[in-house]
Amino acid sequence: MPAASLAPPRTAVARKAYWTRLLPALAALACVTRAPSFARPLWNPDEGYLAVQARMLAQGGQLYETVVDRKPPLVPWLYQAAFALGGSGSLTPVRILAVLAQLLTAVLLASLARRRWGDTAGRAAGVLYLLVSVGLNPEDAQAATFEVFMLPSTAAAMWCADRRRWGAAGVAVAGALLAKQTGGAVLVPVVWLAYRYGAQRCAVLRLAAGTAAPVLCAALATDPAGFVFWTITGSGAYASFTGSELHVLFRGLANTAILAVACAGLIPPVVRVLRVARTGAVDLWLWLASSALAVTLGFHFFGHYYLQLIPPFALLATAALQILPRERLTSAVLTSAGCCSLFLVWGLLAPRLELTHAQRLASAVAHRTTHTDRVLVWGIHPETYWLCARTPASRYLTAGLLTNYSGGRNGPQVGEKYAVQGTWPVFRAEMTAHAPALVVDDSRGKPYAPDRVPALRRLLAARYEEVGEVDGAVLYARVPRS
């Protein structure tokens, strides 16, 4: 018998009263847990990348042609829309959208839990999710990046599938995919629910059409060939971790440990129930397992990847707590609240040295150039372009796309030959057609420094001269041709 049929009937009045009380509480908690995100202009390079992309799109750039990244288009479009409404000088509009995204995720999880296990479970799921959602390094948890905007779609896919709304579930899966490729992992539990509920052929077709149609529309709205290349086929070197095994293993273990601290109130009940009973939530285990597999894809283990694990784990913990004595729920909430407080303090007080560097560098760039000048920042911090309000000289906003360093590589698989296929001819053409007035070498001893990139070294030697230095970043001005 489906779990939904076990829930007692509720009147419309009772449902309204329930959500009238719960929604304000979840909204307040979402605001509190996201408060540190407003304390800094930027949290990580992904935000900087998205902000620069949004400006380029607003100026007439074309996604996957003159504006490129390895990600689907939904979040760049979201940034562009937020900037159109609130201006591009601040990420505050995007931060507000991130709060709403987290709130929507919590509400959907609460609705799922209430339908299956009752009113108390619904409240617990929403609250526990929000408390744990900040349980990573603040630059990962507080940034308004791909995963934050992917999670509402993953939760919506499960919510719709639980109610056998297969077409809508497919659209939600597509929304997750278009936010980030790994969002497609939620299709695994959705398909299992279709099998579990005995979905007919027409329902399966609705699910497939709902998933495929938005993705196809997004491809047609951009450049179909470019869409496929940049989101699927053009990242082979990025997905390899040869030569960086210890580097990525340490990162993965560190981020796993940090998230485990945040989940200190949830792990014990899940482990305890696994010993003595089954929760009957196979779809939630599949959701967690497929999300864990998605985290490992590419072998990078960045902290923000782990956000994808939190919704299914919050629901599994809620399911486990329904079997245990009520005081265990109170203990789980209090423990999670305590851990959440620690992460919030971390977010408010921890220094952000790279942001300070980017701000100082952007100030120097702005001082040496005009608003009409193009600039090339050779580094992995595209936020410099946004902070100094200068137009990038290249569609490749980081050196990573031209050397493969963007995957956090620290060794042998960094260099021109590991670049995204076809990027160097385009880059050389850009340097000829729109030669930057200023080149900033922000490599600071990293493996992609100009002395290890012959094409860039020749460009600097032939047409530029050193004019300054900021915290180890070297500035080169174009030499006028005689």
Side-chain angles (χ1 to χ4, degrees), residues 89-464:
S90 168
L91 292 187
T92 297
V94 182
R95 305 262 191 253
I96 294 172
L97 291 178
V99 173
L100 294 175
Q102 289 290 65
L103 174 59
L104 178 57
T105 304
V107 169
L108 289 167
L109 295 178
S111 180
L112 264 169
R114 182 177 185 246
R115 176 178 168 85
R116 295 187 177 198
W117 306 299
D119 289 355
T120 300
R123 289 188 288 268
V127 169
L128 289 173
Y129 168 74
L130 289 172
L131 291 174
V132 177
S133 67
V134 296
L136 290 164
N137 188 316
E139 70 179 32
D140 296 308
Q142 295 293 340
T145 51
F146 302 95
E147 289 79 9
V148 170
F149 296 111
M150 175 185 74
L151 294 183
S153 293
T154 62
M158 293 296 292
W159 188 93
C160 293
D162 193 54
R163 287 159 173 77
R164 310 184 195 191
R165 301 176 184 176
W166 304 114
V171 171
V173 171
L177 271 168
L178 290 173
K180 189 180 178 185
Q181 295 94 323
T182 53
V186 75
L187 185 60
V188 173
V190 167
V191 169
W192 188 90
L193 282 174
Y195 167 77
R196 175 71 175 82
Y197 290 152
Q200 300 299 311
R201 181 178 180 182
C202 60
V204 175
L205 291 176
R206 289 199 302 273
L207 173 62
T211 303
V215 176
L216 179 60
C217 289
L220 294 174
T222 55
D223 170 54
F227 176 91
V228 172
F229 177 80
W230 283 103
T231 62
I232 302 174
T233 64
S235 300
Y238 181 84
S240 171
F241 71 122
T242 302
S244 300
E245 294 88 345
L246 291 178
H247 183 68
V248 298
L249 177 61
F250 175 79
R251 184 193 298 138
L253 292 175
N255 286 319
T256 300
I258 293 172
L259 184 58
V261 171
C263 294
L266 308 188
I267 294 174
V270 171
V271 173
R272 183 182 179 92
V273 168
L274 281 177
R275 291 178 181 176
V276 299
R278 297 179 61 187
T279 63
V282 176
D283 58 321
L284 301 184
W285 285 109
L286 285 173
W287 189 6
L288 181 64
S290 60
S291 298
L293 179 60
V295 170
T296 66
L297 288 178
F299 305 104
H300 299 300
F301 302 106
F302 292 123
H304 49 90
Y305 289 11
Y306 287 71
L307 291 171
Q308 192 167 353
L309 302 175
I310 297 176
F313 194 72
L315 284 178
L316 282 168
T318 302
L321 288 165
Q322 305 316 300
I323 300 174
L324 298 172
R326 187 176 181 84
E327 57 266 22
R328 294 301 298 270
L329 173 58
T330 302
S331 175
V333 172
L334 291 177
T335 302
S336 298
C339 294
C340 177
S341 299
L342 294 177
F343 282 100
L344 292 180
V345 171
W346 183 9
L348 291 170
L349 300 182
R352 287 287 171 261
L353 301 180
E354 284 298 339
L355 174 60
T356 302
H357 168 77
Q359 289 172 321
R360 293 188 60 188
L361 186 57
S363 178
V365 171
H367 176 72
R368 290 184 173 275
T369 58
T370 68
H371 285 284
T372 59
D373 286 333
R374 291 176 179 264
V375 173
L376 175 68
V377 178
W378 184 257
I380 57 170
H381 292 281
E383 60 266 33
T384 304
Y385 292 118
W386 182 71
L387 291 167
C388 69
R390 296 296 184 265
T391 301
S394 173
R395 69 197 67 190
Y396 309 122
L397 301 182
T398 70
L401 295 175
L402 293 156
T403 65
N404 195 41
Y405 191 80
S406 59
R409 302 304 178 212
N410 67 339
Q413 295 234 357
V414 175
E416 288 182 49
K417 68 178 181 179
Y418 300 109
V420 176
Q421 182 182 0
T423 53
W424 274 99
V426 174
F427 179 75
R428 283 190 287 267
E430 289 174 326
M431 294 301 100
T432 299
H434 304 291
L438 192 73
V439 175
V440 180
D441 170 21
D442 194 29
S443 58
R444 291 175 285 164
K446 297 293 194 305
Y448 58 87
D451 60 357
R452 295 181 60 177
V453 184
L456 181 64
R457 186 173 65 245
R458 289 193 295 269
L459 172 69
L460 293 175
R463 301 169 61 183
Y464 291 85

